[in-house]
Amino acid sequence: MEKISDKWDLYDYAKANQGKQIETRNFQKVSAILADRGLECIWVRDDSEGVDFIARHMATNEVIQVQLKSRLTIGEKYENHGDLWMAFPVKGEWYLVKHGSLIELADEFGWSWRRGKVNYTNKSPNRKFLEMIEPNKIGTEIP
């Protein structure tokens, strides 16, 4: 019998040379986490108006539009998209937060994303910020 361990090793995404490879991996990971919450995720191929994927709850049929990021991101191009949710990992934990809520928190924290910056990104937000978005933690990344 052919063994999977002889066929493929774990892929080292740290050495991946294409952002699309990492984006594909992240979509699969966050989709699995959301599936445990009853959400079916559908990739939007053309990244329409900042939407990377759509998630539909299987019991309620509620639909949300999601932008997938590899880190916390607040962006000017997403500012007028009132219902856009941002999915991003921080230290192995995935969060799903409305972009408008992130803007409010950024303003509260005095982050300078509005002063000449088109985007604000942060790979390791401070403890207080993480406490504020704790209710939006959706799950732990599986290594």
Side-chain angles (χ1 to χ4, degrees):
M1 174 168 64
E2 187 173 15
K3 296 186 287 184
I4 196 77
S5 58
D6 290 340
K7 193 164 183 71
W8 295 297
D9 289 329
L10 290 178
Y11 191 76
D12 186 358
Y13 281 92
K15 294 180 181 175
N17 59 2
Q18 296 181 19
K20 281 293 181 191
Q21 291 176 343
I22 295 167
E23 185 178 47
T24 298
R25 172 189 183 262
N26 285 344
F27 173 67
Q28 298 299 329
K29 287 191 173 265
V30 77
S31 293
I33 291 168
L34 290 173
D36 287 342
R37 293 177 174 269
L39 290 140
E40 169 189 28
C41 297
I42 303 156
W43 189 253
V44 177
R45 293 176 56 95
D46 68 350
D47 196 358
S48 176
E49 297 183 27
V51 177
D52 282 327
F53 68 92
I54 295 168
R56 181 190 67 84
H57 194 272
M58 291 182 241
T60 66
N61 283 323
E62 180 180 2
V63 175
I64 62 170
Q65 298 175 352
V66 183
Q67 174 62 220
L68 178 63
K69 293 295 184 187
S70 61
R71 62 183 64 206
L72 164 66
T73 301
I74 301 167
E76 184 178 71
K77 79 179 204 175
Y78 311 124
E79 190 171 10
N80 295 323
H81 195 306
D83 290 330
L84 186 66
W85 292 75
M86 306 299 280
F88 55 91
V90 177
K91 299 177 183 172
E93 301 288 343
W94 277 92
Y95 294 84
L96 185 64
V97 186
K98 270 195 170 183
H99 186 260
S101 298
L102 290 173
I103 289 173
E104 290 172 13
L105 286 172
D107 290 345
E108 186 178 319
F109 276 78
W111 291 347
S112 63
W113 79 278
R114 290 182 189 268
R115 288 176 243 158
K117 290 186 175 183
V118 176
N119 286 316
Y120 172 84
T121 66
N122 191 329
K123 190 173 183 176
S124 299
N126 67 38
R127 182 185 51 79
K128 184 170 176 151
F129 185 86
L130 290 176
E131 287 172 4
M132 307 238 355
I133 64 169
E134 176 74 22
N136 292 74
K137 186 189 303 183
I138 57 172
T140 302
E141 181 173 303
I142 301 164

